[in-house]
Amino acid sequence: MSQATASGGTPKRWRDLRKRFLSALVLGPTALACIWLGAEPWTFLIAVAVAVLAWEWVHLCGLRTRVLPGMAVPVAVFAAGLLAVEEHVRASLVALLVGWALTWWTAARMRGPDRPGQPAGWLAAGVLYIGIAGISLIELRHDNYAGRANVLFLFLVVWASDIGAYMAGRAFGGPKLAAAVSPNKTWSGALGGLATAVLVGVAAAAMLAPGGASRAAAVAAMLGVMAQAGDLLESWIKRRFDVKDTSSLIPGHGGLLDRLDGVIAAAPVAALLAFALGQGQPLWR
C-alpha cells in the first residue's frame, strides 16, 4: 500500500479526524451559546478559559500555579481581566505590564542552585500572551450593539481558517510552509485555510450585518493570516519546550493553548480594529 493506514482502514493522515470532530462538537456550541447569550456568560467562559490557559502555560514552563513564581501568571491575568470587565481598559493593560514585570522579577529572584532552570522570561511572557487575548475578547463582546456580531465573525473566521488548513493540508500535501517550526504544515494548507476564512467571513458578514462584502473579505483575510501566524507561533513555542501538546485536556487537539492559538493571535487585531471603528460598528463596515 502506498499510504499507511490506521485501524479500520482509515488513512493515517486522517486518523485524528474523529477525535477532532467530537471535541469540536462539544466546544463549538458552548462557545457560540455564550457569545449569543450576552456579555456575562461570555465573560464567565473567558474566565474559565484564561484559568486553563494560565495553568497550561505555567506547567509548560515546568512550574505550578499553586505556588510562586507560577502563581503570579494567573493572578496578574485575572487582575487585568477584572479591570477590563469594569471597563477600565487602559488600567487593565497597565496591570498586565506590571504583572509581566513582577512575574519576571519573582521568577528570576527565586532561581537558585536547586532550581537553575526556571525560565523567568518565558514564564512572564505568558502574562502578556494570555492576558492581551483575554482582554481583547472581553472588550469585543462588551460592545452592546456590535459585540455579538464581531465576536461571532472572529470565531467563525478563525475556525474556518483552522478547518480549511487542516483539510487542504491533509488532502493535497506538498511543500512545507515552515519545516523548521512545524513539519506538518504545508503551503496548500495555508492557502486552503486562507480561502476558507475569506469565504466564511463574507458569508458570516452577509448574515450578521449585510453590506461591505469586499471589506468583509479583507478583514477575514487579515484575521485568517493572524490565526495561521498564531498557530505557527504556538508550534515554535512547543518546539522550544520540546513537547507535542501543551496538555492532553482536549482529545484530538491537545491543550486549550493548542486549540486557541489562532484566536489568541487574531483577537487583539480584531479588538484594535473595533476600537478604531468606534462603538457599535461591525468589523467589516
Side-chain angles (χ1 to χ4, degrees), residues 85-130:
V85 170
E86 295 299 321
E87 303 297 341
H88 302 303
V89 184
R90 291 183 178 84
S92 69
L93 294 174
V94 171
L96 276 185
L97 290 173
V98 172
W100 166 75
L102 288 177
T103 300
W104 195 334
W105 178 80
T106 303
R109 194 166 184 267
M110 294 182 70
R111 182 180 292 165
D114 57 332
R115 289 177 293 183
Q118 287 191 20
W122 277 101
L123 183 69
V127 174
L128 300 180
Y129 184 56
I130 298 167

Side-chain angles (χ1 to χ4, degrees), residues 71-84:
M71 183 189 294
V73 176
V75 168
V77 172
F78 270 105
L82 286 173
L83 289 168

Side-chain angles (χ1 to χ4, degrees), residues 201-224:
V202 171
M207 289 186 292
L208 294 169
S214 59
R215 184 178 173 87
V219 174
M222 178 174 61
L223 295 179

Side-chain angles (χ1 to χ4, degrees), residues 103-284:
T103 300
W104 195 334
W105 178 80
T106 303
R109 194 166 184 267
M110 294 182 70
R111 182 180 292 165
D114 57 332
R115 289 177 293 183
Q118 287 191 20
W122 277 101
L123 183 69
V127 174
L128 300 180
Y129 184 56
I130 298 167
I132 291 174
I135 290 172
S136 298
L137 290 170
I138 289 171
E139 283 302 305
L140 272 173
R141 185 60 187 87
H142 278 209
D143 185 331
N144 292 328
Y145 298 100
R148 178 189 291 167
N150 285 342
V151 177
L152 279 172
F153 183 84
L154 168 66
F155 270 78
L156 289 173
V157 166
V158 172
W159 286 344
S161 175
D162 185 38
I163 294 169
Y166 175 84
M167 299 300 289
R170 295 299 173 92
F172 302 112
K176 303 299 181 182
L177 177 64
V181 175
S182 182
N184 293 327
K185 291 181 175 59
T186 61
W187 278 102
S188 65
L191 294 174
L194 183 60
T196 308
V198 170
L199 290 173
V200 170
V202 171
M207 289 186 292
L208 294 169
S214 59
R215 184 178 173 87
V219 174
M222 178 174 61
L223 295 179
V225 168
M226 289 305 303
Q228 294 196 35
D231 194 356
L232 284 173
L233 175 62
E234 186 71 17
S235 296
W236 177 72
I237 291 171
K238 289 188 291 186
R239 183 169 288 271
R240 160 63 178 78
F241 284 100
D242 194 25
V243 297
K244 182 179 182 295
D245 297 312
T246 53
S247 77
S248 57
L249 183 65
I250 308 171
H253 288 291
L256 202 59
L257 277 167
D258 299 303
R259 188 69 189 96
L260 295 181
D261 48 15
V263 174
I264 290 172
V269 175
L272 284 172
L273 181 58
F275 175 78
L277 292 172
Q279 287 282 317
Q281 293 297 319
L283 296 175
W284 54 94

Side-chain angles (χ1 to χ4, degrees), residues 31-107:
L32 290 174
C34 289
I35 294 170
W36 192 265
L37 290 173
E40 291 78 12
W42 177 247
T43 300
F44 175 77
L45 182 65
I46 294 301
V48 173
V50 162
V52 176
L53 292 172
W55 174 79
E56 288 184 344
W57 185 271
V58 172
H59 278 252
L60 194 64
C61 293
L63 301 168
R64 294 181 296 167
T65 54
R66 290 181 293 175
V67 294
L68 289 172
M71 183 189 294
V73 176
V75 168
V77 172
F78 270 105
L82 286 173
L83 289 168
V85 170
E86 295 299 321
E87 303 297 341
H88 302 303
V89 184
R90 291 183 178 84
S92 69
L93 294 174
V94 171
L96 276 185
L97 290 173
V98 172
W100 166 75
L102 288 177
T103 300
W104 195 334
W105 178 80
T106 303

